[in-house]
Amino acid sequence: MSNKSISAKPLSDMELSSFCGQISLVLKSGISAMEGLNIMLEDSDSQEERDILRALLNGIEETGSLYEAMQKTELFPSYMVNMIHIGEETGTLDDVTDALRVHYEREASISRSIRNAVTYPMIMTGMMIIVVVVLLVKVMPVFNQVFMQLGTEMTGFSRMLMNMGTVIGRYSVVFIIILAAIALFGLYGVKTASGRKLLKTIGYKIPGTRRIMEQIAACRFAGGMALTLSSGLNPERCMELVGSLNDDEFFGARLDECRRQLDDGEDLSRALYTSGIFTGMYARMASIGGKTGSMDQVMDQIATLYQDDIDSRMSNTIAVLEPTLVIILSVIVGIILMSVMLPLLGIMSGI
């Protein structure tokens, strides 16, 4: 059964995390994957979820393998499918699914942090534009009528603002088209791979944004390495699997350099440092992990530290943006109103 015949949209990170958590709980309870899927099917209250579970059950009945059943549905990420395959081959499927649960829960947390950091400024910016347009198009002509009744007219800055409002009102259709084009560009940047690549390229040119993007890529890398290393894979195979998670071409260049050094016989912790994947404290942690043979545990700690740092940066960004945008809106509105109120008060005082 193909993806399109089961679901119109891919599974979210939280849905993947929930699925892996349930499978892990089932396997650790001594129940087979097939029996566990039947239990999950009985408890499911979503038609979409039931279709997916039935497809998996049909696949296991035909192939006897959860890996092949998941691969056949075309609903699950290739990284997850490959890790399930490794878990089945090594007999550690319960541990692998539990680690995948943590991995996709971390991915969901990162995505949530990004959405929270982007959504609020966009809403505030939209409100600012609406307020300013209403002032220029609707309020300024009212003040102009007051001036005319007093036997004078607007001059200077206030006149320029009123003319600007007149232009906006006259060519409102053009401005609406422009705003719609900007909105479509935003959707293009969020919903398509080429759009996300373009936004990343733009983001890397902004110092603050570049730092956060690098941390997000490093966090995903560390989380993936923790999972693959704990499954007993060699570093080269781990790098190959984790590389499929990366969608950042700038970080991808570092991964390629790290893989090249590993192929040349370099130690993993050293390759991670010299390729620029980890620096500072994280590089030292990786070095200690390599020397003590606990690289998988260290990678998990690094991923957790990166995630905490990302959440902190996002929260701080929102905390700074909120009052800043309010202040900017207040200043703009104040300037517009003062540009007409001060001359009006001057005229009134002279009467």
Side-chain angles (χ1 to χ4, degrees):
M1 187 178 296
S2 67
N3 186 354
K4 291 182 179 179
S5 62
I6 300 173
S7 174
K9 61 179 181 179
L11 297 176
S12 68
D13 290 327
M14 280 307 300
E15 288 172 332
L16 293 172
S17 176
S18 176
F19 174 79
C20 291
Q22 293 179 69
I23 291 293
S24 174
L25 182 62
V26 163
L27 295 174
K28 289 183 177 180
S29 301
I31 303 174
S32 68
M34 189 167 185
E35 292 175 351
L37 289 172
N38 274 308
I39 294 173
M40 292 166 61
L41 180 60
E42 293 174 0
D43 294 338
S44 175
D45 56 0
S46 166
Q47 183 59 47
E48 182 180 332
E49 184 179 347
R50 286 195 291 270
D51 290 340
I52 295 172
L53 293 173
R54 287 194 188 97
L56 289 174
L57 283 169
N58 292 335
I60 292 179
E61 289 176 356
E62 294 176 7
T63 63
S65 167
L66 178 60
Y67 152 71
E68 293 186 26
M70 292 174 66
Q71 190 177 44
K72 188 176 180 181
T73 63
E74 300 179 8
L75 280 174
F76 300 92
S78 59
Y79 176 77
M80 180 178 176
V81 173
N82 287 331
M83 291 308 302
I84 293 294
H85 189 196
I86 292 168
E88 286 187 328
E89 288 185 345
T90 59
T92 58
L93 186 57
D94 53 344
D95 293 330
V96 168
T97 50
D98 188 54
L100 283 169
R101 173 189 63 80
V102 175
H103 171 77
Y104 283 108
E105 188 176 324
R106 180 179 290 125
E107 287 287 298
S109 178
I110 292 173
S111 299
R112 186 165 54 249
S113 297
I114 295 173
R115 283 196 302 270
N116 291 340
V118 172
T119 302
Y120 180 80
M122 289 180 64
I123 293 175
M124 284 298 298
T125 302
M127 290 177 61
M128 288 172 58
I129 293 173
I130 292 173
V131 169
V132 171
V133 169
V134 169
L135 283 174
L136 295 179
V137 176
K138 298 296 184 180
V139 177
M140 293 300 287
V142 174
F143 278 107
N144 187 49
Q145 291 177 3
V146 174
F147 275 90
M148 292 176 65
Q149 290 174 359
L150 293 173
T152 184
E153 61 180 15
M154 289 183 176
T155 58
F157 185 65
S158 59
R159 183 73 182 181
M160 182 189 72
L161 290 176
M162 193 188 71
N163 291 337
M164 189 183 302
T166 302
V167 171
I168 292 175
R170 183 177 301 168
Y171 300 101
S172 57
V173 175
V174 176
F175 286 103
I176 291 173
I177 293 174
I178 293 174
L179 291 175
I182 294 173
L184 289 174
F185 176 77
L187 290 174
Y188 166 74
V190 172
K191 298 295 185 180
T192 65
S194 58
R196 287 191 292 270
K197 182 178 179 180
L198 177 60
L199 289 180
K200 286 180 183 295
T201 302
I202 297 172
Y204 258 89
K205 296 179 180 179
I206 305 173
T209 305
R210 179 171 64 244
R211 177 59 178 164
I212 292 177
M213 292 171 65
E214 289 174 346
Q215 287 186 320
I216 291 172
C219 179
R220 286 172 170 161
F221 169 79
M225 288 295 289
L227 175 55
T228 51
L229 287 169
S230 64
S231 300
L233 301 178
N234 60 48
E236 290 79 8
R237 178 57 176 159
C238 291
M239 291 291 296
E240 180 182 345
L241 285 172
V242 175
S244 64
L245 293 174
N246 179 64
D247 58 357
D248 188 323
E249 64 173 321
F250 299 96
F251 194 79
R254 300 179 188 180
L255 293 179
D256 292 339
E257 174 61 20
C258 185
R259 279 195 290 264
R260 186 191 65 76
Q261 293 186 29
L262 288 176
D263 292 339
D264 293 341
E266 184 65 84
D267 177 70
L268 175 59
S269 59
R270 181 66 182 172
L272 291 172
Y273 172 70
T274 55
S275 62
I277 292 177
F278 292 148
T279 57
M281 176 186 69
Y282 301 111
R284 290 193 293 273
M285 290 177 66
S287 177
I288 294 172
K291 293 175 181 177
T292 59
S294 56
M295 183 65 84
D296 56 335
Q297 299 173 16
V298 169
M299 284 291 180
D300 188 58
Q301 293 174 4
I302 290 175
T304 301
L305 289 174
Y306 266 123
Q307 184 176 339
D308 292 341
D309 195 13
I310 291 168
D311 290 340
S312 176
R313 282 178 177 271
M314 294 293 189
S315 299
N316 292 338
T317 300
I318 294 174
V320 171
L321 279 175
E322 183 173 355
T324 301
L325 291 173
V326 171
I327 291 172
I328 292 174
L329 176 59
S330 302
V331 169
I332 292 174
V333 172
I335 290 174
I336 294 174
L337 294 178
M338 292 298 287
S339 69
V340 292
M341 289 301 297
L342 289 178
L344 184 61
L345 290 174
I347 295 172
M348 297 294 292
S349 62
I351 297 176

Coordinates of all heavy atoms in Angstrom, one line a residue, residues 12 28 155 171 178 183 188 192 201 241 268:
S12 N 4.0 13.7 11.6 CA 4.8 14.7 12.3 C 5.8 14.1 13.2 O 5.7 12.9 13.5 CB 3.8 15.6 13.1 OG 3.2 14.9 14.2
K28 N 9.2 -4.2 25.2 CA 9.8 -4.4 26.5 C 8.9 -5.1 27.4 O 9.3 -5.7 28.4 CB 10.1 -3.0 27.1 CG 11.3 -2.3 26.4 CD 11.7 -1.0 27.0 CE 12.9 -0.4 26.4 NZ 13.3 0.9 27.0
T155 N 0.9 70.8 6.1 CA 2.1 71.1 5.4 C 3.2 70.2 5.9 O 3.1 69.5 7.0 CB 2.6 72.6 5.7 OG1 2.7 72.8 7.1 CG2 1.6 73.6 5.1
Y171 N -4.1 52.9 -4.8 CA -3.5 51.7 -5.4 C -3.5 50.5 -4.4 O -2.6 49.7 -4.3 CB -2.0 52.0 -5.8 CG -1.9 53.1 -6.8 CD1 -1.5 54.4 -6.5 CD2 -2.1 52.8 -8.2 CE1 -1.3 55.4 -7.4 CE2 -2.0 53.9 -9.1 CZ -1.6 55.1 -8.7 OH -1.5 56.1 -9.6
I178 N 1.0 42.8 -3.7 CA 2.3 42.7 -3.2 C 2.4 41.9 -1.8 O 3.2 41.0 -1.6 CB 2.9 44.1 -3.0 CG1 3.1 44.8 -4.3 CG2 4.2 44.0 -2.2 CD1 3.5 46.2 -4.2
A183 N 3.3 36.8 1.2 CA 2.7 35.7 1.9 C 3.0 34.4 1.2 O 3.4 33.4 1.8 CB 1.2 35.9 2.1
Y188 N 6.2 29.4 0.5 CA 7.2 28.7 -0.4 C 8.4 28.4 0.4 O 9.0 27.3 0.3 CB 7.5 29.6 -1.6 CG 8.8 29.2 -2.3 CD1 8.7 28.1 -3.2 CD2 9.9 29.9 -2.2 CE1 9.9 27.7 -3.9 CE2 11.1 29.5 -2.9 CZ 11.0 28.4 -3.7 OH 12.2 28.0 -4.4
T192 N 8.4 24.2 1.0 CA 9.1 23.5 -0.1 C 10.6 23.4 0.3 O 11.1 24.2 1.0 CB 9.0 24.2 -1.4 OG1 9.6 25.5 -1.3 CG2 7.5 24.4 -1.8
T201 N 19.9 30.0 3.3 CA 21.0 30.8 2.7 C 20.9 32.3 3.2 O 21.9 32.9 3.5 CB 20.9 30.8 1.2 OG1 21.0 29.4 0.7 CG2 22.1 31.5 0.5
L241 N 24.3 7.4 8.0 CA 22.9 7.4 8.4 C 22.5 8.8 8.8 O 21.5 9.3 8.4 CB 22.6 6.4 9.5 CG 22.6 4.9 9.0 CD1 22.5 4.0 10.2 CD2 21.4 4.7 8.1
L268 N 37.4 9.7 15.5 CA 36.1 10.4 15.4 C 36.1 11.7 16.1 O 35.7 12.7 15.6 CB 34.9 9.5 15.9 CG 33.5 10.1 15.9 CD1 33.1 10.6 14.5 CD2 32.5 9.1 16.5

